Amino acid sequence: MAIIQRPGWFYYEKNGERLGEVSYLKEGHGPILTLNHTYVDPSLRGQSIARELVDAVCDLARSEGKKVKPDCRYAAVLFKRFKDEYADVALEPGDNANSCPIN
């Protein structure tokens, strides 16, 4: 499966069904992408799909010279666990990071 990019989204799709997704907010031409939602279908969990999707947002931020604010608990945990790998783009988690369920 390849990652598909649409404005505000990166996702995996198979046979027209979206099986994994990450959404982000890009406020105007500002310097921050707010990563606000991550989901992976239960049949694909444990295969690093969510991390690949978060990495796609981080790669976009790097290419645009922006930072990523994790407003999703999964991304906040990932940034904390792999601090060195995300140090160049990661901001502190937003207030919503604790209320976002890990899917």
Side-chain angles (χ1 to χ4, degrees), residues 29-101:
H29 297 289
I32 298 171
L33 300 178
T34 302
L35 201 156
N36 61 352
H37 169 74
T38 304
Y39 172 79
V40 173
D41 186 81
S43 66
L44 296 176
R45 291 185 185 162
Q47 299 178 41
S48 300
I49 303 293
R51 183 167 183 180
E52 289 178 34
L53 291 164
V54 169
D55 285 351
V57 174
C58 292
D59 290 343
L60 175 64
R62 288 179 182 104
S63 73
E64 295 183 357
K66 298 186 181 215
K67 299 287 185 178
V68 178
K69 181 174 80 171
D71 234 7
C72 164
R73 188 175 359 169
Y74 173 80
V77 168
L78 189 66
F79 284 10
K80 185 176 182 179
R81 188 173 292 155
F82 300 100
K83 195 172 197 153
D84 292 342
E85 293 177 41
Y86 297 103
D88 61 325
V89 293
L91 294 176
E92 289 296 315
D95 294 336
N96 295 325
N98 290 326
S99 63
C100 175

Side-chain angles (χ1 to χ4, degrees), residues 2-12 24 26 56 60 64:
I3 295 176
I4 300 167
Q5 180 182 6
R6 296 287 181 263
W9 295 90
F10 284 95
Y11 59 92
Y12 279 111
Y24 62 92
K26 190 178 198 179
L60 175 64
E64 295 183 357

